[in-house]
Structures are given as C-alpha cells and as structure tokens.
Amino acid sequence: MNKFRSRLLFALLTLIIVVLVGLGLVLGQLFKSFYLQTFHERMEKEARLVELFVREEGLTNPFLQSKIDQMSDVLNVRTTIIHKEGNVLFDANQRGDKFSVEKSVVIQEIIRNHLNSTKSFYKVDEEYDLYYYGVPLRTDKQQVGFVILSTSVDSLNRINQQIWGLLIGSLGMALIVILLLGVRIMNQYTRPIESATKVAMELAKGNYKARTYEDYVDETGMLSQAINILARNLQELISAQEMQQDRLRTLIENMGSGMILIDSRGYINLVNRAYKEQFQIDPADYMYRLYYQAFQHKEVVGIVEEIFMTEIKVRKQVVLPIKIERRHFDVYGAPIIGLNDEWKGIVLVFHDITELKKLEQMRKDFVANVSHELKTPITSIKGFSETLLEGAMEDTQLREQFLDIILKESQRMQELIQDLLDLSKVEQQGFKLNIQAVNVKVMLEEIVMILSNKAEEKTIQLQTNLPEDEVWIQGDPQRLKQVFINLISNAVTYTPQGGRVEAELIETQEYVTINISDTGIGISKDEIPRIFERFYRVDKARSRNSGGTGLGLAIVKHLIEAHKGQIEVTSTVGEGTTFSVQLRKELHI
C-alpha cells in the first residue's frame, strides 16, 4: 500500500509541477507582453511630446539644445534629432563611450532603414541593451527628419527578472501549500483504502475476525462499512458452515454403523471410525483409491456396481469374513444426487447385525432347549402314569418305583421352571437387590456344610481356605448364597470321585475375591465364552444325568453383574476349573 501512496503522490506532484510551470510560463509571457506594451506606449508618448516641443520651438532656436537636454534628463532618455538628409542635428544626454560607439553603428543603421519612412518605429539593440523609438518630425506639414528617443533596457530586464522571481516564489509557495494539502487529503482518502485492503487480504487468508475503521461518511466510509459487513457475513457464514461440518463430522464419526463415501469417479473419499473398527483396516489402504481396489469382499463391490448401474437404493444382508470371524452386515447403499440431478457419488452404510443374529439364534435355541428340557420329564411322567393306570399299580414294588421316578421328574421340572422364573426376574430392569452387610466367611462355611453330604457321596474333598478374621461386604445375602451354592455344587458335580473342591477367600482394601477351584473334567478354551449361555452344557450327557437345568451359570452371571462385580473362568481340560468372583466391599447402586 505504501507503493500505491508513493505512486499517487508522485503522480500528484508531477501534475502540480506541470500545471504550475505551464501557468508560470503563461503568466510570465502575459506580464512581459503587458510591460512591453506599456513601455512602447510610454516611449511613443514621450517621443511625440519631444517632437511637439521641437516643432513649436523650431530647429533654429539657439536654446533648443539646452532645453532638449533638460527634457531628456527629466524623461531619463537620450534624445537624438536627425535631419531627413541623414545629419544628426541634436544629440542630447549622451552617456559615455558606449553611446559614442553606438552612435556610429546603430544610428547609422536607423538612418539607412527608416530615413525615408513616414511612420513611427522602434528597435531593440540587444548588443548594447538599448531601446530606440522614433517619430517623424514635421514642420509646416512637411517631414524634416526624425526624433529618436533611446534608453537602456536594463529596467526591462530588471522588471522581467522581478516578474519571474515573483512568479517562481508565488508558484513555489503554491506548490508547497498544494503539496501539503494534497498529502493530507491523500492520506485522508488512502488510509481507509489501505485499511480496507489489509482487511480484504486478511479475509482472503481466512481471518474473518478482521475489521476496518468507519470514520467517514463519504465513499471511503461506505467502502469500509461494506468491507466490515462482508467480513461479518463471511464470519457468520463460516461459523455456521463449521458448526454444520462439526456436527456432521461428529455424527459420522460417532455413529454406530460403518460408513463410506464414494465420489462419482469411484474413488473413496471418507471412511468413518465405526467402519475402521468393524473391519480393522488402515485408512491409508482406502482413502482416495478406487472402490474395487480397496474393498476385499466381492459382495460389497457388487453392491457398489449395482448402484452405479441402476442409480437406485440397494439394501442387502451379507456375511463377510473378517480375520477369523464371520460377521453379518445389513448393507445399505444409496446414490448421492445433487440439486440439478447431478451425480455426486454413493454412500454405503454397514450395520453390524452379528449380535442380532446371535440373539435370534439364541432365542431359537432357548425355545428348542426349553421344549426339550420340559418334554423329557413330561414324557417320563406321562409314560409311567399310563403304565400305572394300565395295572402296574397293583404291584407294590413297581408302583413305588414308578411313583419315585414321577416325583423326581416333577421336581426336576419344578427346578427348571423356578430357574426360568429366577432368570427372568434377574433380567428385568426393575430387579432390585436387598442390600445389607454380609459376612462372606460365615456364608461360605454354611454353604460348604450344606454341600458336604453331596461331596462325601462322591468321596470328594470339599475344603476351604478362609482368613482368620471375618470379611464383610455390602450385598444381597440370599442372592450371593445362591451364586456360591451354584458354583460349588457345579464343582462337586463335575469333579470325579476322589477329586478335590476348594473355596478360597482373598480380601484386599476395596475388593473381596472368592475362588472356587476343582479338579474336574475342565472346559476347553472354545467353550469358556459360551458356558454362561442358557442351557449350554460342556458335557451334555453327564450334565443331564446330574440333574442340572443348564440355567445356573446364566443366573450366576446376572447376579454378579447386579452386584457390580466380575466373574472370570480359567480351566484346563482334564485338570480342573477355577471360577473367580470379585465383589466390591462398598456397593453403590
């Protein structure tokens, strides 16, 4: 902007100098012409006055020379009277050698050129800086010669110098004043322009908070005001756009489903976080690459190609292998069409429905398992009841045997229904625990005492590893007792004869850990994640013979989670299993 101001100032200064020089030349010529005209008129009047005086006095007057000398002194001129024959009759007020030299040169030239002339004339002799003016001398209406007045032109040069000095001084002062005023006016008008330019440059750089001053009400003030309005509008527009982009980015990145954007040329432009996590991919392998080069699954490539060809929405359920898993996806693809029916690209959304599929399968398995578990005792009860009704009840021994079987199957069916009710109650959102102080040490001792007979029947060592001091926690005593009865009972059930089951209690500052260990059949690593599913059995034949319902561990897991605790399983096939339950001492629900 300083360059602009310098150029403007240089142009203004050049213009002013040209105008003032031109004006000075014109005024100088006008003043010089005016002064010369005035000088001519003065000399003409003086020459005619002398001519009139000589004509009245007569050339023969003996005192004419002295009077001409006096008149010449008064007029400050040199008076020369020349006869028409070329003789100098009178020459008054001579001035040294200069005039003597001039007399023999200039006067002779005038006599040669103007002796026979009947009109007035003037001559400027630049060599001797003299001015001559001559008028015809007439007596009795006849021309007898010339009266010539001469004077030095030093006064003309002096006046000319004074005129030019005055002009140069005046115009110089005018130049300085105009320059000062011009600089001030220029600053007044260029400062808002400079400020507006700086703000415009800041806006171009992306700084939409830049503002300029609005000090004036003229066009520059209107420019500053317009720049500020533009800056405010841009700031509001960019803020709204950034807010929309942030919202959209947050929505895209935090949505639960994977999403990919493909442009009209088939290049991938966006991959959200959910897709990266679902497919465990590196974004560099996808971004700005063609879709058929990035996607590893032919099913997805086929969906994209179908959308490109048909330009309609597509929704398909596909099963895609991801490393060692096979996951179910509900893929929704749609074309992106602009306002003018312009093809923008494709959006793909991947809904992971693997868990839904698992839950659906679990529901089907649950219904099948419940039906199967209920069908067995009902079939037994029905069969033995029909046998008794057909006459077997007359045999006392057979009747008691059948009735005993019917009672056991009824109890088994009752236990199954009770477990289902307990599981349903635990899974309900309104389920509440009866929280109170629980002595874990005493509770484990009671459970071991209850199950000691069952252990003795299988010659299993049921022992405890408890601290000497009492251990208290916050919890529901009945539900916790149900948890550990189930775990210890399962350990006794799945441990062969001569084995060992141990209940260990470990206390820390904030937690209590109860480990239930056995030397039973063990659980394989593939089956451990499924043992808490309903009706899942590690050894189905032995589990059924043991009288279990397959719901115990599912109930245990839900009760532990209701106490904000954790349960973990470590097991080795053929060596045994350890269930570790970690509970908080202070429970806040």
Side-chain angles (χ1 to χ4, degrees):
M1 184 50 66
N2 291 330
K3 293 182 179 179
F4 168 72
R5 183 182 296 182
S6 301
R7 290 196 300 269
L8 183 60
L9 180 61
F10 178 74
L12 178 63
L13 184 61
T14 303
L15 179 63
I16 293 173
I17 292 175
V18 170
V19 170
L20 292 180
V21 170
L23 181 62
L25 293 174
V26 172
L27 290 177
Q29 289 300 117
L30 288 176
F31 288 156
K32 183 177 180 180
S33 299
F34 175 76
Y35 186 75
L36 286 176
Q37 182 67 26
T38 304
F39 189 78
H40 285 317
E41 291 177 355
R42 180 198 124 193
M43 294 297 292
E44 181 182 5
K45 290 178 181 179
E46 291 178 356
R48 292 192 181 280
L49 177 63
V50 173
E51 187 268 339
L52 178 62
F53 175 77
V54 171
R55 187 173 52 188
E56 289 179 355
E57 292 292 331
L59 294 174
T60 59
N61 188 343
F63 301 102
L64 182 60
Q65 180 67 45
S66 61
K67 290 183 179 180
I68 290 175
D69 291 338
Q70 293 176 0
M71 184 174 290
S72 298
D73 290 336
V74 172
L75 298 178
N76 194 21
V77 296
R78 173 188 175 187
T79 304
T80 303
I81 300 175
I82 301 175
H83 194 269
K84 66 179 181 178
E85 294 179 356
N87 299 323
V88 177
L89 302 178
F90 298 95
D91 190 4
N93 201 11
Q94 294 190 37
R95 301 184 180 183
D97 297 338
K98 180 179 178 181
F99 283 86
S100 298
V101 175
E102 164 268 332
K103 178 179 180 181
S104 61
V105 178
V106 181
I107 295 299
Q108 295 300 325
E109 182 181 353
I110 292 175
I111 291 173
R112 286 195 303 270
N113 295 334
H114 301 283
L115 185 61
N116 298 321
S117 176
T118 59
K119 296 181 179 180
S120 301
F121 65 90
Y122 74 91
K123 177 180 176 57
V124 178
D125 184 44
E126 296 180 355
E127 183 178 358
Y128 301 103
D129 293 332
L130 294 175
Y131 177 88
Y132 297 89
Y133 195 92
V135 294
L137 176 61
R138 293 183 178 86
T139 56
D140 298 332
K141 297 182 181 181
Q142 292 181 357
Q143 181 175 346
V144 296
F146 277 92
V147 175
I148 300 174
L149 301 182
S150 62
T151 184
S152 175
V153 295
D154 290 339
S155 61
L156 284 177
N157 295 332
R158 205 166 40 249
I159 291 298
N160 191 31
Q161 291 176 358
Q162 292 177 357
I163 291 174
W164 280 110
L166 180 63
L167 284 176
I168 292 173
S170 301
L171 295 179
M173 291 296 297
L175 174 62
I176 294 173
V177 172
I178 292 173
L179 187 60
L180 293 176
L181 293 177
V183 169
R184 183 173 181 180
I185 295 173
M186 181 181 64
N187 289 334
Q188 179 180 353
Y189 283 96
T190 57
R191 189 178 295 111
I193 297 176
E194 291 178 358
S195 179
T197 304
K198 292 180 180 178
V199 172
M201 294 176 66
E202 290 295 323
L203 294 177
K205 294 177 181 177
N207 180 17
Y208 301 106
K209 295 181 180 179
R211 297 291 185 274
T212 184
Y213 295 103
E214 301 177 10
D215 295 336
Y216 307 101
V217 294
D218 54 3
E219 287 77 5
T220 57
M222 294 174 63
L223 174 62
S224 300
Q225 185 178 8
I227 290 291
N228 287 340
I229 293 174
L230 175 62
R232 285 192 291 269
N233 292 339
L234 285 175
Q235 184 177 7
E236 293 175 358
L237 181 63
I238 295 301
S239 298
Q241 185 179 5
E242 289 178 351
M243 183 181 297
Q244 293 294 335
Q245 289 181 347
D246 291 340
R247 290 176 179 175
L248 183 60
R249 188 182 300 110
T250 303
L251 175 63
I252 291 175
E253 288 297 324
N254 294 282
M255 63 187 298
S257 302
M259 189 178 75
I260 283 184
L261 288 180
I262 303 174
D263 63 15
S264 58
R265 299 179 300 166
Y267 287 90
I268 297 175
N269 289 336
L270 185 144
V271 179
N272 74 339
R273 183 171 58 187
Y275 185 89
K276 301 172 190 174
E277 294 174 353
Q278 287 174 351
F279 289 86
Q280 302 175 11
I281 56 102
D282 183 2
D285 297 334
Y286 276 69
M287 293 299 293
Y288 310 112
R289 294 186 62 189
L290 291 170
Y291 68 91
Y292 53 81
Q293 295 176 350
F295 291 130
Q296 299 177 356
H297 305 100
K298 295 181 179 180
E299 297 87 347
V300 180
V301 175
I303 293 174
V304 176
E305 291 177 348
E306 182 177 351
I307 298 173
F308 268 115
M309 289 186 293
T310 60
E311 297 186 5
I312 60 175
K313 300 176 182 178
V314 174
R315 182 176 183 180
K316 290 185 179 181
Q317 290 189 2
V318 295
V319 180
L320 303 177
I322 301 176
K323 293 187 177 180
I324 61 174
E325 293 184 290
R326 291 175 60 85
R327 305 191 67 86
H328 296 262
F329 289 95
D330 188 2
V331 184
Y332 181 83
I336 304 174
I337 307 298
L339 296 177
N340 298 324
D341 294 333
E342 183 181 0
W343 179 266
K344 298 290 187 179
I346 292 175
V347 58
L348 290 179
V349 179
F350 295 79
H351 299 286
D352 191 349
I353 58 174
T354 305
E355 296 300 325
L356 293 177
K357 289 291 184 180
K358 288 183 178 180
L359 290 175
E360 183 180 357
Q361 187 63 38
M362 288 176 61
R363 180 183 62 82
K364 293 178 181 179
D365 294 342
F366 176 75
V367 173
N369 289 329
V370 169
S371 301
H372 182 71
E373 294 293 335
L374 290 175
K375 181 180 180 181
T376 301
I378 290 175
T379 302
S380 298
I381 294 173
K382 180 181 178 182
F384 287 112
S385 299
E386 289 176 350
T387 304
L388 290 173
L389 290 175
E390 289 177 357
M393 62 187 312
E394 299 298 334
D395 188 344
T396 304
Q397 183 178 359
L398 192 60
R399 182 176 65 234
E400 290 178 356
Q401 182 182 357
F402 284 3
L403 290 175
D404 184 58
I405 295 173
I406 291 173
L407 177 61
K408 290 181 178 180
E409 295 295 335
S410 300
Q411 290 175 348
R412 179 181 174 189
M413 200 162 59
Q414 184 180 5
E415 291 176 359
L416 176 61
I417 294 173
Q418 185 62 43
D419 286 344
L420 288 173
L421 292 175
D422 288 343
L423 183 60
S424 176
K425 185 177 181 180
V426 171
E427 289 179 340
Q428 289 180 359
Q429 293 183 353
F431 175 71
K432 293 183 179 180
L433 297 173
N434 183 18
I435 304 300
Q436 54 185 287
V438 179
N439 190 334
V440 182
K441 178 181 178 182
V442 174
M443 180 186 67
L444 291 176
E445 290 175 347
E446 291 178 356
I447 294 173
V448 169
M449 186 179 298
I450 293 172
L451 297 175
S452 60
N453 291 332
K454 183 178 180 180
E456 290 176 357
E457 291 177 359
K458 298 181 65 176
T459 63
I460 293 174
Q461 296 180 11
L462 181 57
Q463 57 189 20
T464 59
N465 183 8
L466 306 176
E468 295 180 359
D469 298 331
E470 294 182 346
V471 179
W472 294 86
I473 66 171
Q474 294 290 325
D476 188 332
Q478 297 299 324
R479 294 299 182 182
L480 289 176
K481 193 172 184 179
Q482 181 181 0
V483 167
F484 293 109
I485 287 176
N486 198 310
L487 293 177
I488 297 175
S489 177
N490 283 347
V492 173
T493 300
Y494 291 99
T495 300
Q497 291 183 353
R500 180 176 57 84
V501 176
E502 180 181 8
E504 181 184 18
L505 176 60
I506 302 174
E507 180 183 12
T508 60
Q509 186 175 359
E510 296 182 1
Y511 297 94
V512 170
T513 302
I514 300 95
N515 297 323
I516 309 299
S517 305
D518 62 53
T519 57
I521 61 176
I523 307 170
S524 65
K525 292 183 179 180
D526 295 337
E527 291 180 323
I528 287 177
R530 301 193 60 189
I531 61 175
F532 294 103
E533 294 180 8
R534 302 163 184 171
F535 298 109
Y536 185 80
R537 291 183 173 87
V538 177
D539 189 342
K540 296 180 172 56
R542 294 187 59 181
S543 298
R544 192 174 305 281
N545 293 333
S546 66
T549 62
L551 298 175
L553 289 180
I555 296 173
V556 167
K557 181 176 182 294
H558 284 88
L559 289 176
I560 296 299
E561 291 176 349
H563 281 82
K564 308 299 181 183
Q566 295 180 352
I567 183 170
E568 296 179 355
V569 183
T570 58
S571 180
T572 303
V573 177
E575 295 183 6
T577 304
T578 299
F579 285 84
S580 296
V581 178
Q582 187 181 63
L583 299 172
R584 292 177 178 270
K585 287 186 175 181
E586 298 293 332
L587 184 61
H588 302 283
I589 299 180

